[in-house]
Amino acid sequence: MVLSLICPTKDPQPWMAAIQAIAPDVDLRVWPDDGDRADVTFTLVWAQPQGIFAQYPNLQVISSMGAGVDNLLQDTSIPEQVTVVRMVDPRLVSQMGDYVLAAALNHGRQFSRYGQQQRQRQWQPLAPLNLDQITVGVMGLGQIGQAVAQRLGQVGFSVVGWSRRAKAMAKVQVFAGPQQLADFLSASKILVCILPLTPETENILNVETLGQLPPGAYVINVARGHHLAEADLLALLDNHHLAGACLDVFRQEPLPQDHPFWSHPKITLTPHIASLTDPVSVAPQIVENYRRLTAGRPLLNPVDRRQGY
Ligand code: NDP
């Protein structure tokens, strides 16, 4: 039984070291030099070459190296019987909380506007805002979104949330499904997108939905670039409906040099670093799933392939 790492865009060494440190008995290989592929039952993958799984006749488990599985599930070579699992990790969750909190506070305390004033040597106090007057809307109330919503609430923001199915959360008003999206959007002065990318959520941040945010709203996208219709965002920033945006993810990454986001005065951007998987932190769940596969027990953090997340 071999565990093969297929991650052409990531350095496999820290992952190998983290797994070997706690499970020296696991037979680890790295694609493309992973020997006889008939021996491989478990793969740990990120940005795999499309179609690669057809080369692994005895594959049983594919584990994403991250929380998102959108790219992985587009691969039509994943056999029906293979189980797909993903990372669910407290460190990933808390990093995302830090990022969203920083972006929301940066906007709430008007640091971007003071930055513009500083460059113009302009001493101009702006009307202060209390955090409880700012309602943050969190789209996607999964492992990460729920924790982010709670964290924003703890520092004093009013928080509402939106997910596919209704759910109860302390101190967060939860809206559910397409029929409650408009009410959710009209309440959100800061909109945070932490949805998985699926056919239903692709381009969900568009002129129609962003246009339903209150005037002067702020958008934070930490999910996937394909959630955002980029030209629609630019139009709504330029006609002053939106005050600004903080973006960590883009339709094309790295963001092309000539992309208008780079120099837009109302956009803050980061290079897809909102929350990074730490191999040491997630190695125990990878090894646990490998052991569960060996013992024929149900795996941790399975993905519903039909649902797409
Ligand atoms: P989960 O699968 O735990 O949660 C997904 C949430 O989105 C659920 O609340 C789900 O609703 C909701 N949802 C899914 N589809 C819809 C829909 N059509 N309409 C309304 N709500 C929907 O995901 P995570 O919280 O673990 O991660 C979310 C995403 O964050 C990842 O898929 C990844 O793309 C992104 N991410 C980005 C990172 C970065 O560095 N920028 C790092 C880590 C993750 P319900 O609860 O009803 O099922």
Side-chain angles (χ1 to χ4, degrees):
M1 218 172 116
V2 169
L3 191 164
S4 179
L5 282 77
I6 308 176
C7 51
T9 61
K10 273 191 203 286
D11 178 3
Q13 284 314 319
W15 294 81
M16 300 272 287
I19 294 168
Q20 272 161 353
I22 57 170
D25 58 303
V26 175
D27 189 350
L28 278 179
R29 314 260 176 92
V30 179
W31 176 90
D33 303 316
D34 48 3
D36 185 351
R37 294 189 177 152
D39 295 336
V40 175
T41 53
F42 195 119
T43 55
L44 183 59
V45 308
W46 193 254
Q48 81 288 351
Q50 292 284 311
I52 191 84
F53 300 114
Q55 299 173 19
Y56 294 83
N58 297 313
L59 188 61
Q60 294 182 56
V61 176
I62 300 172
S63 175
S64 168
M65 284 174 151
V69 289
D70 43 288
N71 178 58
L72 178 56
L73 294 187
Q74 277 170 20
D75 196 317
T76 50
S77 70
I78 304 176
E80 199 53 46
Q81 72 281 5
V82 166
T83 304
V84 176
V85 297
R86 68 190 191 103
M87 297 301 156
V88 173
D89 179 48
R91 196 169 294 184
L92 200 64
V93 170
S94 79
Q95 269 189 37
M96 188 64 92
D98 295 345
Y99 183 100
V100 172
L101 192 56
L105 284 172
N106 184 61
H107 173 65
R109 293 310 311 262
Q110 310 191 68
F111 272 39
S112 298
R113 285 185 65 192
Y114 285 119
Q116 286 164 13
Q117 290 186 185
Q118 181 182 346
R119 286 186 284 282
Q120 293 159 0
R121 297 174 183 264
Q122 195 181 353
W123 183 274
Q124 178 63 59
L126 302 168
L129 285 173
N130 294 319
L131 294 191
D132 60 5
Q133 295 169 326
I134 304 175
T135 300
V136 185
V138 179
M139 294 183 104
L141 296 171
Q143 296 288 339
I144 300 176
Q146 284 204 25
V148 168
Q150 301 289 8
R151 183 92 177 271
L152 290 162
Q154 281 158 9
V155 301
F157 286 102
S158 291
V159 185
V160 296
W162 183 70
S163 57
R164 211 158 57 85
R165 295 163 290 199
K167 50 178 61 68
M169 281 181 68
K171 297 188 182 160
V172 177
Q173 186 183 2
V174 177
F175 298 85
Q179 61 289 356
Q180 293 183 1
L181 180 58
D183 289 341
F184 163 77
L185 292 169
S186 63
S188 302
K189 284 192 183 162
I190 298 178
L191 181 72
V192 182
C193 179
I194 318 182
L195 287 166
L197 182 64
T198 68
E200 287 79 45
T201 65
E202 185 168 3
N203 291 320
I204 195 164
L205 305 176
N206 58 49
V207 72
E208 198 190 316
T209 52
L210 298 179
Q212 292 172 62
L213 298 172
Y218 191 77
V219 175
I220 300 171
N221 186 19
V222 288
R224 285 292 182 264
H226 284 82
H227 285 121
L228 176 66
E230 294 182 340
D232 291 8
L233 175 75
L234 288 169
L236 290 165
L237 290 170
D238 293 344
N239 75 12
H240 307 293
H241 178 68
L242 296 176
C246 175
L247 308 173
D248 183 54
V249 287
F250 305 91
R251 298 183 88 89
Q252 191 181 337
E253 295 179 3
L255 189 66
Q257 283 298 312
D258 59 352
H259 198 287
F261 285 177
W262 283 113
S263 55
H264 200 289
K266 293 181 178 172
I267 291 179
T268 299
L269 64 84
T270 50
H272 200 148
I273 49 69
S275 181
L276 301 173
T277 318
D278 174 1
V280 173
S281 184
V282 297
Q285 66 184 273
I286 298 166
V287 171
E288 174 63 19
N289 268 340
Y290 179 86
R291 305 264 187 248
R292 285 176 178 234
L293 172 65
T294 314
R297 290 191 288 129
L299 304 189
L300 302 175
N301 312 320
V303 170
D304 181 335
R305 286 169 63 184
R306 207 174 26 82
Q307 220 168 252
Y309 68 98

